[in-house]
Amino acid sequence: MLRLLATVLKTGSKAEPVSIVADEHVLGENLRKAVTALCGGRALRIRHVDAGSTNAEEYELTALGNAYYDADRFGLSFVASPRHADILTVSGPVTRSMAHALVAAYEAMPEPRIVVAVGDGAITGGIWKDSYAVVGPVSSLLPVDVEIPGDPPSPRVVLEGLLAAVRSASRK
Amino acid sequence: MLALLYGGAFLLSGAAALAAMALARSAHQSAVTHALLILSGLFGLAASVGYCIELAHGVVRVVPVYATALFAFFVTPLSGFFLALVFLGVTLTSWYALGYLPRYHTHYTLPWLDFATSLFVLGMVGTLMAGQPFAFLIAWELMSVAAYFLIIADGSRESLTAGFRYLLMAQLGFLALLVGLLLLAGGDPFASWAAVAHAAAALPPSARLGAFLLLLVGFGSKAGLVPLHQWLPAAHPQAPSHSSALLSGVMLKVALYGFILSVGLLPAVPFSWAMLVIVLGLASAFFGVLHAVVENDAKRMLAWSSIEHMGLLFTGVGLLLALPNLPVGADAAALTAALTGFVILHALNHSLFKSGLFMATGAVVAQTHTRDLDRLGGLAQRWPLFSGAFLALALSAAALPPTGTFFGEWLLFQPLAIGFRSAAPASSLGAALVLAVVALVGGLAVFAFVKLFSVMFLGRPRSSAAEQAGEMPLLLTLPPLAAAVLVSLSGLLLFPLLAQPERVRLLGLPFASAVLPGAAMSSWGVVFALLGSAAAAAAFYRAFARRTIRITETWDCGAPLTARMQYTATGFSAPIRFFFRALVLSKKTLVVEPVVVTNPWIAKRRLSWATESFWEAGLYRPVGRAAIAISASVRRLQNGAVQFYLALVFAALVGVILFAL
């Protein structure tokens, strides 16, 4: 007991100091302002469709909700139904199995609607381009407003892409 | 002239019966029979129009049709009105039968069915024209027995059971009528109605009460009054649809006529008797509409609705009977006029829309081969004209404006709501209670017909039968459409006539105005208000709605939508069934069968569900059980011992001698 206490005292605190980069905060603050300008106080509601990705993009999008990025504070929220969504984010090359579901989800969204292709797979088809199972990039089925490159894009890049999408929608 | 026309109509329906038999082997038999029936109906309608014109000119007379010592037939203003209903119904249903019956030529034995139909019509016309109890009873029995053959026409077990029930009630009712009328007539069946009324005036009150109760039972059992109604929803739907239309739309009115006629024979009706009629009428209206809401069989639902409307009509007649006993003073004349207007307009409307609904439902059944509402649906897209006609008929069955039924029921509502203001508090309270029940019945009727129309015509087809239904033939569309047009116009044309003192005599009615001051409204005003608000709503929509409308698939969360996800008739009526669960007894049974014997957790579960009538469980079954129990105990006397029988004979002898001494 005493030995343990002595060891604790001798070792001291070994944790690394957390360096919070103010950059995300600034980016997020811009995003929040843009969302407020576009949606008038509402949150920007995102419906995500995995059209055949490796799930790498999904991990990064999920990371937007963790304690570090905490995208909710910028006015982003993921919703379950395209009926409630402002933005449709699509990841992965569009496989034949998911093509109808993707178009159905897009059709179900109210206007005005924004389509964001997340990741190289969604933009070009990636390494599955020209596969027999793939219809093509998202742009071959839907009018894509903003493309977020990367395989996968980091949450920070996703936030930048969403900011660009919101700004482009505000200009329209 | 009128006598010739009425006589011609009478004879033509007889000729139709003969034609059905004579041409039994011909392929044209059915067409000829129904053509003769249509001709009979047109003759009768021409006579009715002529009679109405005479009455409008102030000539009130009885039209003698045929009279000998044995039979006398004549037409009075009262029977003239009901005859017009019969002829209207016969014309429409026979027109419909021309298109309907050829599809069922293997299903029914057409010559016999047409023979029974013609005799049925003959019986109804004879009942209405009968000038004395003898002719009345003979014609009534002809109508009742012919109706039995209409009910069992398809020969199925269900029909035979329903037909047996019907025949039992019809014969019990006939016995009651026979005794009741003979009691009133002092035993002379050949006396004219006037002589019967004279004889009835001389009767002691107890005999008069007995006769009244017997007649109420006789006519009430035919009209489907609670608690003698249980046969009706079983029997009427089993007949072919054009016959169901006649049974429900027209025959019930003949029963109403019989009741009005026989009550008119009594010198005075005490208040308590009138209360009995009102209470029975309200109970019928309530139970009828309640079962119409929960019923899933389209034709049976219509039969329940007939009980409802007959209940309302009997309530109106009961109120009329109660009026002379109520201290309403100066309002009496106006109240009588309003209630008479209700009975006239509602009887007319009910016979129109109920015949129309039965014909239209019969057409749906002919195309989809099912009467189960939970297997129909999605028919509106395929048959727009037909659905429009059905919608108009359903609206009028629910008594919504601008159909005639709305104006008819308005004439019942206004005396109840404002007519008894100057009367004593007790009768105002009574009127308010009646009004509450009638309002509840009206609300439930809307519910029932929303269910009927929406489940049959809207949404997606619930079965392949409904999905693969073919084109609706024009010959099956036109008769219900004609009924829909007539019932929509009846209120617009007749209500202004009833409402204005200077015009009411055009109908030949002996009163000033059927609409009470303070409850008046213009029927065309109502229509224009409806049209105007619809136009305003459309204009508002066009002005403010977003211009671009995208029509896409319904969002189904990835799981395809199926017809089984829709609201069903069972689900729609569930709240009502729950609320009135003490009156609509529903029986649920869950059967659990294990798929593998060793594992009780993997099991097939089947839920079966049925509703049962309160009266069936609470009245009919106990009475049946008691009858069987008494029979069983009496059977113990028959023990086969000769000595015991001799002892019984001896005891009887001693008893008779003692009684004689």
Side-chain angles (χ1 to χ4, degrees):
Chain A
M1 176 70 189
L2 282 176
R3 203 142 49 88
L4 180 64
L5 205 60
T7 313
V8 167
L9 285 174
K10 194 164 69 194
T11 313
S13 171
K14 286 285 186 187
E16 296 167 30
V18 180
S19 62
I20 295 173
V21 185
D23 196 11
E24 271 97 12
H25 179 71
V26 174
L27 174 63
E29 197 52 38
N30 290 337
L31 187 56
R32 195 185 60 75
K33 281 178 189 152
V35 168
T36 310
L38 180 67
C39 306
R42 263 194 318 113
L44 183 75
R45 300 165 80 78
I46 306 170
R47 163 76 200 193
H48 178 69
V49 172
D50 174 352
S53 82
T54 57
N55 274 138
E57 285 85 357
E58 278 67 43
Y59 277 114
E60 302 304 322
L61 287 172
T62 311
L64 280 179
N66 66 19
Y68 181 80
Y69 290 100
D70 189 16
D72 289 15
R73 66 192 154 140
F74 310 136
L76 301 183
S77 78
F78 286 91
V79 291
S81 169
R83 288 272 191 241
H84 303 157
D86 306 306
I87 289 194
L88 183 71
T89 56
V90 189
S91 61
V94 182
T95 58
R96 292 195 187 281
S97 318
M98 283 302 288
H100 173 76
L102 176 63
V103 175
Y106 176 73
E107 289 293 341
M109 285 172 70
E111 283 175 346
R113 47 197 167 168
I114 310 167
V115 179
V116 177
V118 183
D120 291 344
I123 298 165
T124 64
I127 60 169
W128 296 281
K129 192 180 178 188
D130 301 333
S131 157
Y132 67 91
V134 166
V135 177
V138 178
S139 54
S140 65
L141 290 174
L142 306 179
V144 175
D145 295 279
V146 170
E147 295 174 339
I148 305 177
D151 193 13
S154 70
R156 204 203 121 86
V157 177
V158 173
L159 282 181
E160 282 169 0
L162 288 177
L163 178 61
V166 172
R167 284 192 173 147
S168 81
S170 308
R171 273 197 299 276
K172 264 197 268 183
Chain B
M1 183 62 196
L2 284 184
L4 273 181
L5 280 175
Y6 274 124
F10 186 74
L11 290 179
L12 276 168
S13 53
L18 291 181
M21 282 294 96
L23 300 175
R25 287 171 193 284
S26 159
H28 304 297
Q29 173 271 326
S30 196
V32 171
T33 309
H34 285 287
L36 283 171
L37 282 177
I38 292 176
L39 205 58
S40 155
L42 292 178
F43 264 65
L45 285 177
S48 307
V49 170
Y51 199 25
C52 196
I53 290 173
E54 265 194 14
L55 287 174
H57 285 93
V59 186
V60 181
R61 65 173 181 126
V62 170
V63 182
V65 178
Y66 174 80
T68 59
L70 205 56
F71 282 105
F73 290 102
F74 53 75
V75 182
T76 62
L78 176 67
S79 66
F81 167 69
F82 284 93
L83 275 170
L85 296 189
V86 172
F87 290 127
L88 198 57
V90 169
T91 311
L92 285 174
T93 54
S94 286
W95 181 21
Y96 172 81
L98 290 178
Y100 176 78
L101 280 179
R103 310 168 152 263
Y104 285 99
H105 67 97
T106 53
H107 199 67
Y108 300 119
T109 316
L110 286 190
W112 281 109
L113 176 60
D114 292 336
F115 182 62
T117 309
S118 310
L119 287 187
F120 178 60
V121 173
L122 193 68
M124 287 196 292
V125 174
T127 309
L128 293 175
M129 286 186 182
Q132 14 103 310
F134 183 68
F136 184 89
L137 289 168
I138 296 278
W140 178 272
E141 187 63 358
L142 179 66
M143 171 183 89
S144 289
V145 175
Y148 169 71
F149 289 100
L150 298 180
I151 291 163
I152 62 157
D154 67 355
S156 68
R157 178 174 289 275
E158 206 182 352
S159 298
L160 289 173
T161 316
F164 177 72
R165 274 184 145 195
Y166 163 74
L167 200 59
L168 188 71
M169 290 307 284
Q171 292 314 305
L172 287 178
F174 178 72
L175 274 181
L177 289 188
L178 182 70
V179 178
L181 282 178
L182 285 184
L183 204 59
L184 281 189
D188 178 15
F190 301 106
S192 69
W193 292 126
V196 173
H198 192 68
L203 280 179
S206 58
R208 238 183 274 156
L209 174 64
F212 174 79
L213 289 178
L214 283 169
L215 291 169
L216 184 60
V217 165
F219 292 118
S221 69
K222 189 61 106 192
L225 281 197
V226 163
L228 301 172
H229 64 296
Q230 207 61 36
W231 62 273
L232 194 151
H236 280 190
Q238 289 307 118
S241 290
H242 68 292
S243 308
S244 304
L246 276 184
L247 286 168
S248 239
V250 180
M251 186 182 75
L252 299 181
K253 303 302 171 313
V254 177
L256 179 68
Y257 163 77
F259 183 69
I260 295 175
L261 173 79
S262 55
V263 166
L265 296 176
L266 294 167
V269 177
F271 185 64
S272 52
W273 303 7
M275 278 308 289
L276 179 67
V277 178
I278 296 174
V279 167
L280 287 183
L282 288 177
S284 310
F286 175 69
F287 277 96
V289 77
L290 189 58
H291 279 274
V293 169
V294 302
E295 184 62 61
N296 278 355
D297 178 313
K299 282 180 79 178
R300 202 173 295 166
M301 182 260 170
L302 294 178
W304 280 113
S305 149
S306 289
I307 295 180
E308 173 217 336
H309 287 285
M310 288 315 288
L312 289 178
L313 281 169
F314 270 82
T315 308
V317 173
L319 286 168
L320 273 174
L321 292 179
L323 271 184
N325 303 302
L326 290 176
V328 284
D331 292 341
L335 285 173
T336 311
L339 289 168
T340 313
F342 160 70
V343 174
I344 288 174
L345 207 49
H346 201 66
L348 170 69
N349 287 326
H350 180 251
S351 71
L352 278 171
F353 73 70
K354 195 47 64 73
S355 319
L357 278 172
F358 263 113
M359 290 190 284
T361 309
V364 172
V365 175
Q367 299 291 30
T368 60
H369 310 290
T370 180
R371 278 162 34 184
D372 187 354
L373 287 179
D374 283 346
R375 288 170 53 76
L376 292 167
L379 300 173
Q381 290 140 17
R382 252 162 306 152
W383 307 328
L385 179 68
F386 181 81
S387 318
F390 199 102
L391 179 63
L393 290 168
L395 283 179
S396 61
L400 292 176
T403 61
T405 325
F406 168 73
F407 296 107
E409 288 198 9
W410 179 250
L411 290 178
L412 174 63
F413 274 100
Q414 47 155 7
L416 291 175
I418 61 170
F420 291 89
R421 275 179 307 197
S422 59
S427 42
S428 308
L429 185 66
L433 283 175
V434 175
L435 180 67
V437 178
V438 172
L440 173 66
V441 168
L444 286 173
V446 174
F447 197 96
F449 281 93
V450 165
K451 180 189 87 167
L452 181 72
F453 181 78
S454 59
V455 172
M456 268 171 106
F457 288 94
L458 305 183
R460 288 194 187 180
R462 291 180 176 75
S463 68
S464 57
E467 203 170 353
Q468 289 156 7
E471 210 44 37
M472 180 59 80
L474 203 58
L475 205 49
L476 295 189
T477 309
L478 286 180
L481 185 65
V485 170
L486 285 175
V487 79
S488 305
L489 287 179
S490 76
L492 298 183
L493 300 180
L494 289 181
F495 189 76
L497 290 186
L498 286 171
Q500 293 196 0
E502 66 271 23
R503 290 205 203 137
V504 81
R505 62 173 185 80
L506 289 180
L507 295 174
L509 294 171
F511 49 73
S513 163
V515 181
L516 300 184
M521 62 177 165
S522 155
S523 58
W524 290 99
V526 169
V527 175
F528 287 131
L530 279 174
L531 288 178
S533 41
F540 184 83
Y541 182 77
R542 284 179 75 88
F544 294 103
R546 278 179 45 200
R547 304 266 164 196
T548 51
I549 294 171
R550 245 181 331 121
I551 294 174
T552 61
E553 278 179 51
T554 306
W555 174 245
D556 54 9
C557 300
L561 297 173
T562 67
R564 282 181 60 84
M565 294 174 182
Q566 299 176 92
Y567 223 168
T568 58
T570 316
F572 193 73
S573 60
I576 302 288
R577 225 166 38 233
F578 176 74
F579 193 78
F580 291 107
R581 62 191 179 284
L583 301 179
V584 184
L585 314 172
S586 60
K587 281 201 299 195
K588 281 183 197 167
T589 36
L590 182 66
V591 183
V592 184
E593 293 166 336
V595 179
V596 188
V597 184
T598 49
N599 188 343
W601 296 101
I602 303 172
K604 258 201 308 202
R605 287 179 169 76
R606 262 182 312 141
L607 181 73
S608 66
W609 169 87
T611 53
E612 199 188 24
S613 158
F614 172 72
W615 299 99
E616 183 93 33
L619 180 68
Y620 285 70
R621 208 146 327 126
V623 167
R625 269 201 299 269
I628 289 175
I630 292 170
S631 313
S633 59
V634 168
R635 203 172 53 191
R636 254 180 264 146
L637 289 178
Q638 195 181 17
N639 55 3
V642 180
Q643 295 88 334
F644 182 65
Y645 292 166
L646 287 175
L648 280 182
V649 170
F650 183 69
L653 195 64
V654 169
V656 167
I657 290 171
L658 282 179
F659 183 72
L661 289 175

